[in-house]
Structures are given as structure tokens and as C-alpha cells.
């Protein structure tokens, strides 16, 4: 494919608003396929640069690149028709796709990094302006290219560029996208079992798979694993299709609840209560999506997996006003001391989730500025640094080096879930005030547990009372996100408290 380097150079020229050489339009379909391969390799390298190793390649990302390439081919055909140069379709498509690659590398990637930096340092307006500049750059590339193809006047070139932009930029605005590269989970195969035990004792407990029916395994309903996996796209699409559009001029709240571990009902209970609570008391009805792992709901709710989370957040970003509305992401599951969240529904092969994985899922197009992220898991304080910025509030149920309490087969809701959701948010609409109330309640309950443990050890001379280290819930916030939340609260109407009911018993009327 000797013409490929020349086409790539012409693509760079087009990306910099310079005319390609006339001979570039005479190449065939083989060169276009070669440019697709270059596009894929460039996207992989950019993904590796933005992601912490070890890396893994996502098939959905490959489909995103192929879809973008096909859209470019359609746009090239349209330009060829409008310029009366149908014989040059493959050449036009090759140069346009090469320009796409060049623009992604020399414009969109650095501008995207600049936008992230500005957003994290409280310059949301400048970040939005940077993203808009990157999108507009491609339009001007098409405008110059259209005028070169058919120099019939600015009006003709402008019309051609608008139509080509509407097609070739579709993946930015409304088509689903998936990253090519993500960090490979490093949790061992038995890490999920080690994280399962009573988080209230601060000690990892290993579950023996040969024990049969165990007290820690309450979600024992049998299901067809293969059917569950094949049903995921339809289940998730159905859930996302129910999302209400944002209200112009009003701060809307969109809620995503994620229950990672299927082995204990407590996480499903919390996720479904989040849905009920925020729909009835906080005006989020029709703007809530629940992702949960539980054998009883595999046919009715999408699974809590990284892929589903990424797709859900991308859909929410396209539905909401990303510069005005607020996202609340509530994650509840077990956590490990190396800061991996347990994502488990045996026998499905689900990947565990680390801090960078959540950060990657939140990199949506368009970018969501205002976010509240709640991580309810042991050692969840280890997620703060990866998720915090000036327009994000991060709440965690424990310090980075502490366990949290209240899960297990005998529990209906965790300590933090009960304190924050069931109690505090039924007393106040302020998330910050609710966190402060919850932290005090959790501390009081853990102190009472410690006293009970000491009393029990006095009655049993052979029992040594291990000290209970308080979980110490953490918060990272800023004046800007709290001001946005205050604006959201002003839109709420007074609503009664919503009592907590375990999911298996049904929501109260």
C-alpha cells in the first residue's frame, strides 16, 4: 500500500486547513482500509496514554472506531455527490479519515486534556469552551475541504460542510461510544470471596464454595447465565429509554445506583431504595437507573458491570444538560484494602472495578460537569483522589484504610446506607448536611458495638475483644458544587419521608 503514507500526510494537511494534493483522490478502497487500521492503532495509543496500566482492549471500542470510519465514508460519498466527483469517493474518504486521525491526535486529544484540567480546577466555563473549540475545528476542516473539492462559492461549501459534519460527527452527539482501552482488573479470582464476610468485624472472611448453602449466600435463586448475558443490551436499552429529558432552565437530578455484589441482599436493598427515595422525595422520578447484581432480578434489571455503568453514564450525559444538571452516582458493594470494588454474580465473569475505572466511565461526551459520587464500601476512601474535582462532591462510607459496617446476610441495609439514605435524607434535602448527620450516627453505632463487644468479652474469659476501628466516613467537596446543589434544592417541593423497606418485601405505597 505505497500510497498510504502520502494519504496520511494529506490528512494532516487537511486537519491544518491546507489543501490535499489532487492525486490523493485517485486511490481505491484498499487505502481506505489501511487508514482504518492506522485510526485504530492511533486510538489505542491515545487510550494507553490516558489509562493506567495494565491495559485491556475493549471490543466495544473497536466497534466505535469502525462505526466512525463508516460515518466518514458516508460523509465522503455525500461530498463527492455534491461536488460531482463520484469517481473519487474512495480517495475523498481516505483523506477525510486520515484528517480524522490527525485531528484526533493534534487537536482533540490535547484539547480534551486541557478541558479536563480546567474542569478539575474550577474553570467549568473555560473547559466547555475548550471542548466546543475542538468540535468546531472539525467543522472548519470540512469547510476548507469542501471548498477545495468544489470551488463554487462559499455558500455551496458551507452547505456541503454542514451536511458532512452532521454525519461524520454523529458519534460525538448521539451514537453510543465505548473506550478502546481500560485498566485491567488486578483482583485475584478469589478476591470476591475474601471480601465477603461481615464487614462489621474488619476481618476478611473466606467462603468455602463446597459448603453448599451458606448463611452468607442469600441470593441463591437459579438463573440461566447465558440468557442473562445475552439479555443485557435489551434490558439496558429499555431502562435508558425511560429516562426523561432535562427541563430547560431548571437544575434536574439524574441518579444512577450500582449494587455490585449479588451474594447479599443488602446491596440490592440499598440500590432500589435509592431509586424510590430520590423519585418520591427529590424529584428524580423518571431520571433514575438501577444497575444491580442479584439472581432475583437478572431478567428485569440490567446488571451492575463496568460496561453497563459506562453505557449508562454516557446515555445520561446525552439526556441531561451537562452544564446545568447534576449526576448522583451511588455505588454499594464490598471493597478490598487495595481499593477494588467487588462486582459479582456467579457464574458470570464480571470484572472488578477500581478508582480509575470509575473515573474512565465518567469521561462522557459531552462531559458532565456537576457530580455527586457516593461509594459505600470498605476502604472506599481510596476512591476520593481519583474522582474529586472542583465540581464534584465525593462521599465515602469509610477511610481509605478502614472497613465499613453493617453488611452481611443478617442485614437489610448497611450502617452508612441506613444513616445517610434512610435517616438523614428523610430529615434534610441537603446532601452535605445529610452526610454530616450520617457520619455522627455511624460513629455512635460503632461506639455502641465496641461497648457490646467489650461487655461480651468480660462474660467469656476465653474471648479476646478485638478493638473496633471506626470507619470514619469521608467527604471531598467544594464551594462550587455545593452552590449548584443549593440551586437544585430550590427546585424541590416539600415531600414526606420515604420509609426504608427491603427490596424483597416491596416498596411501601
Amino acid at each position: 500500500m505505497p500510497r498510504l503514507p502520502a494519504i496520511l500526510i494529506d490528512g494532516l494537511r487537511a486537519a491544518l486547513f491546507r489543501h490535499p494534493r489532487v492525486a490523493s483522490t485517485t486511490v481505491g478502497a484498499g487505502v481506505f482500509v489501511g487508514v482504518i487500521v492506522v485510526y485504530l492503532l492511533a486510538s489505542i495509543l491515545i487510550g494507553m496514554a490516558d489509562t493506567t496500566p495494565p491495559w485491556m482492549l475493549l471490543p466495544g471500542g473497536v466497534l466505535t472506531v469502525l462505526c466512525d470510519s463508516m460515518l466518514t465514508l458516508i460523509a465522503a460519498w455525500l461530498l463527492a455527490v455534491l461536488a460531482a466527483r463520484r469517481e473519487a469517493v474512495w480517495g475523498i474518504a481516505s483523506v477525510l479519515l486520515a484528517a480524522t486521525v490527525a485531528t484526533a491526535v493534534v487537536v482533540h486529544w490535547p484539547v480534551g486534556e486541557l478541558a479536563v484540567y480546567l474542569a478539575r480546577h474550577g474553570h467549568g466555563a473555560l473547559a466547555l469552551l475548550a471542548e466546543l473549540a475542538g468540535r468546531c475545528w472539525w467543522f472548519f476542516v470540512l469547510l476548507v475541504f469542501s471548498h477545495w473539492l468544489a470551488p463554487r462559492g462559499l455558500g455551496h461549501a458551507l452547505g456541503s460542510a454542514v451536511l458532512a459534519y452532521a454525519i461524520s460527527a454523529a458519534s460525538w452527539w448521539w451514537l453510543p461510544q465505548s473506550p478502546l482501552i481500560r485498566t485491567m482488573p488486578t483482583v485475584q479470582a478469589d478476591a470476591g470471596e475474601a471480601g465477603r464476610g461481615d464487614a462489621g468485624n474488619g476481618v476478611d472472611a473466606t467462603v468455602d464454595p463446597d459448603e453448599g448453602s451458606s448463611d452468607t449466600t442469600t441470593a441463591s435463586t437459579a438463573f440461566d447465565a447465558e440468557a442473562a448475558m445475552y439479555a443485557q443490551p435489551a434490558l439496558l436499552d429499555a431502562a435508558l429509554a425511560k429516562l426523561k429529558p432535562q427541563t430547560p432552565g431548571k437544575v434536574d437530578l439524574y441518579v444512577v445506583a450500582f449494587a455490585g455484589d449479588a451474594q447479599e441482599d443488602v446491596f440490592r436493598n440499598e440500590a432500589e431504595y435509592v431509586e424510590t427515595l430520590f423519585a418520591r422525595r427529590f424529584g428524580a422520578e423518571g431520571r433514575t437507573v438501577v444497575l444491580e447484581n442479584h439472581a432475583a432480578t437478572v431478567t428485569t434489571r440490567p446488571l451492575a458491570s463496568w460496561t453497563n455503568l459506562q453505557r449508562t453514564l454516557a446515555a445520561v450525559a446525552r439526556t441531561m444538560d451537562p452544564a446545568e444538571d447534576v449526576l448522583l452516582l451511588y455505588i454499594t458493594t464490598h471493597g478490598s484494602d487495595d481499593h477494588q470494588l467487588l462486582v459479582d454474580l456467579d457464574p458470570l465473569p464480571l470484572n472488578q472495578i477500581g478508582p480509575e475505572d470509575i473515573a474512565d466511565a465518567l469521561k462522557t461526551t459531552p462531559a458532565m460537569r456537576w457530580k455527586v459520587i457516593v461509594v459505600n464500601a470498605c476502604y472506599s476512601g481510596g476512591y476520593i483522589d481519583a474522582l474529586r474535582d472542583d465540581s464534584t462532591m465525593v462521599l465515602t462510607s469509610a477511610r481509605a484504610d478502614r472497613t465499613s459496617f453493617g453488611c452481611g446476610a443478617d442485614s437489610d441495609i448497611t450502617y452508612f446506607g441506613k444513616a445517610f439514605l434512610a435517616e438523614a435524607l428523610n430529615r434534610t434535602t441537603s446532601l452535605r448536611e445529610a452526610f454530616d448527620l450520617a457520619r455522627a450516627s455511624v460513629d455512635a453505632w460503632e461506639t455502641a458495638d465496641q461497648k457490646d463487644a467489650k461487655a461480651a468479652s468480660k462474660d467469656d474469659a476465653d474471648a479476646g475483644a478485638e478493638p473496633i476501628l471506626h470507619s470514619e466516613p469521608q467527604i471531598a467537596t467544594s464551594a462550587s458544587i455545593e452552590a449548584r446543589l443549593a440551586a437544585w434544592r430550590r427546585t424541590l417541593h416539600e415531600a414526606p419521608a420515604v420509609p426504608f423497606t427491603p427490596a424483597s418485601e416491596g416498596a411501601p405505597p
Side-chain angles (χ1 to χ4, degrees), residues 207-447:
V207 177
D208 185 352
D210 297 327
E211 288 180 355
S213 178
S214 168
D215 288 342
T216 61
T217 307
T218 61
S220 58
T221 304
F223 67 94
D224 186 328
E226 185 174 356
M229 292 302 293
Y230 277 110
Q232 284 311 293
L235 280 174
L236 186 58
D237 287 344
L240 298 179
K242 296 177 182 177
L243 284 173
K244 290 182 179 179
Q246 63 92 211
T247 308
K250 177 185 175 184
V251 181
D252 290 316
L253 179 72
Y254 285 80
V255 181
V256 177
F258 184 101
D261 183 25
Q263 297 301 318
E264 294 174 8
D265 291 338
V266 62
F267 305 117
R268 174 198 177 191
N269 291 343
E270 281 193 19
E272 295 191 18
Y273 180 63
V274 165
E275 179 182 40
T276 302
L277 175 66
F278 281 90
R280 297 186 180 184
R281 185 166 161 78
F282 293 93
E285 184 175 5
R287 297 187 176 92
T288 302
V289 179
V290 174
L291 308 176
E292 68 181 26
N293 294 332
H294 197 281
T297 62
V298 291
T299 61
T300 57
R301 291 190 185 270
L303 297 182
S305 66
W306 184 87
T307 300
N308 279 358
L309 177 63
Q310 188 270 337
R311 282 196 59 200
T312 299
L313 294 176
V316 169
R318 293 191 298 269
T319 305
M320 68 176 358
D321 182 335
E324 179 181 64
D325 298 333
V326 179
L327 167 74
L328 171 65
L329 172 60
Y330 188 96
I331 299 174
T332 178
T333 187
H334 287 294
S336 63
D337 56 5
D338 60 347
H339 306 133
Q340 294 287 316
L341 296 177
L342 180 60
V343 182
D344 177 68
L345 178 57
D346 290 337
L348 301 182
L350 302 177
N351 291 331
Q352 312 308 296
I353 292 180
E356 295 300 330
D357 298 320
I358 299 177
D360 287 344
L362 288 165
K363 293 177 181 178
T364 58
T365 302
M368 295 180 287
R369 180 179 182 188
W370 305 106
K371 302 178 290 292
V372 177
I373 305 171
V374 184
V375 185
N376 183 7
C378 292
Y379 309 105
S380 50
Y383 284 70
I384 289 178
D385 288 342
L387 302 176
R388 69 188 306 171
D389 61 44
D390 190 63
S391 55
T392 301
M393 175 184 288
V394 184
L395 312 177
T396 69
S397 62
R399 272 176 27 176
D401 58 349
R402 298 285 176 88
T403 61
S404 53
F405 296 80
C407 58
D410 296 330
S411 298
D412 288 329
I413 189 169
T414 64
Y415 276 15
F416 184 80
K418 178 182 178 182
F420 181 67
L421 298 172
E423 295 190 358
L425 283 177
N426 276 312
R427 294 171 55 187
T428 178
T429 58
S430 166
L431 296 177
R432 173 59 190 268
E433 183 181 351
F435 174 81
D436 292 337
L437 292 169
R439 180 162 50 185
S441 296
V442 168
D443 183 73
W445 297 338
E446 291 170 355
T447 299

Side-chain angles (χ1 to χ4, degrees), residues 15 40 84 90 124 186 262 269 317 371 413 444 454-455:
L40 183 61
W90 288 113
T186 57
N269 291 343
K371 302 178 290 292
I413 189 169
K454 288 181 179 179

